[in-house]
Amino acid sequence: DAKTTQPPSMDCAEGRAANLPCNHSTISGNEYVYWYRQIHSQGPQYIIHGLKNNETNEMASLIITEDRKSSTLILPHATLRDTAVYYCIVRVAYSGAGSYQLTFGKGTKLSVIP
Amino acid sequence: NAGVTQTPKFQVLKTGQSMTLQCAQDMNHNSMYWYRQDPGMGLRLIYYSASEGTTDKGEVPNGYNVSRLNKREFSLRLESAAPSQTSVYFCASSGGASGRDIYNEQFFGPGTRLTVL
């Protein structure tokens, strides 16, 4: 699976949009971009995933650049409960052993400030 | 639905002791996983079970064994605990199996905090 690079930490004011970047310059054509988050001491929580089109759900939006070498997770109106570590993960999308593994890096620690 | 449940929540062991971590899911998922998370680090996959009756090694399988007891339950066993196995252990499940729905999200349990003295 392609490696990802994320800033170690970010701050965001409560109520403002949080934009979390991720670089995945070696991504292959059959790899999806996933985002998970981990609120302190809890198990990770799925947020969103995409292949090449922008995606939106009730939690967030995912913007993937046209060359797919980077992406941005957007939390449109950050709240204090969004304070967490956010993981950007690239995973193959084919049948086989690799399709089951999520490779977590160190992620970005997002602190939402009142 | 309880989702993914894990027992125990906390455990302290002495070096050389054995124990089994239990995991169960009520979402009728085919695939289940065991991860460990060391302080300040991301999660690393220990073992996974793509479907009932199968298990495979992940990134860090040494020192562990697993059993997929049935579709709902997936246990992790430490035969002879070592201080290096002090960690938080997470179980997860997902719907995908045999290449179908392979991009299904993984659902995680609350974790077991294990300390080996």
Side-chain angles (χ1 to χ4, degrees):
Chain A
D1 291 346
K3 287 190 174 181
T4 62
T5 304
Q6 298 178 253
S9 64
M10 292 181 64
D11 292 339
C12 177
E14 188 178 16
R16 305 299 293 268
N19 298 287
L20 292 92
C22 180
N23 181 288
H24 32 79
S25 58
T26 59
I27 192 170
S28 300
N30 64 347
E31 290 180 317
Y32 282 77
V33 180
Y34 284 75
W35 284 83
Y36 281 74
R37 73 179 182 184
Q38 187 174 23
I39 296 170
H40 180 62
S41 299
Q42 298 180 20
Q45 176 190 24
Y46 166 85
I47 302 173
I48 199 167
H49 76 274
L51 182 62
K52 55 183 177 181
N53 297 321
N54 297 339
E55 302 287 346
T56 296
N57 63 20
E58 65 279 3
M59 289 182 68
S61 295
L62 174 60
I63 308 298
I64 303 174
T65 58
E66 192 169 342
D67 63 7
R68 302 210 321 126
K69 293 185 177 182
S70 64
S71 61
T72 301
L73 178 75
I74 301 173
L75 308 178
H77 304 288
T79 71
L80 298 179
R81 289 176 295 179
D82 292 322
T83 293
V85 177
Y86 287 78
Y87 297 98
C88 170
I89 299 166
V90 172
R91 193 181 86 174
V92 296
Y94 61 80
S95 174
S99 63
Y100 297 101
Q101 180 160 338
L102 291 175
T103 301
F104 288 80
K106 294 187 178 181
T108 296
K109 180 171 173 53
L110 175 69
S111 298
V112 180
I113 311 299
Chain B
N1 283 355
V4 179
T5 56
Q6 294 183 234
T7 55
K9 287 187 169 56
F10 301 92
Q11 184 71 49
V12 178
L13 293 177
K14 295 180 179 178
T15 297
Q17 287 186 314
S18 62
M19 78 161 295
T20 299
L21 281 64
Q22 306 286 353
C23 174
Q25 52 91 10
D26 62 1
M27 296 173 282
N28 199 35
H29 283 165
N30 289 304
S31 302
M32 297 185 73
Y33 315 79
W34 276 106
Y35 291 86
R36 62 176 286 174
Q37 185 174 33
D38 299 328
M41 305 293 289
L43 281 73
R44 292 184 292 171
L45 184 65
I46 305 171
Y47 271 93
Y48 68 96
S49 170
S51 60
E52 187 177 356
T54 68
T55 61
D56 285 285
K57 295 178 180 179
E59 181 185 355
V60 289
N62 291 346
Y64 305 95
N65 287 301
V66 291
S67 295
R68 184 73 183 266
L69 305 171
N70 47 55
K71 191 172 185 180
R72 289 188 63 249
E73 298 171 292
F74 189 38
S75 63
L76 178 72
R77 183 161 178 83
L78 287 70
E79 290 291 352
S80 179
S84 61
Q85 294 178 305
T86 293
S87 190
V88 181
Y89 291 84
F90 291 101
C91 177
S93 71
S94 69
S98 304
R100 297 193 305 272
D101 299 323
I102 57 175
Y103 30 78
N104 276 3
E105 64 194 87
Q106 291 186 14
F107 293 82
F108 285 80
T112 294
R113 282 144 186 82
L114 175 67
T115 300
V116 183
L117 303 175

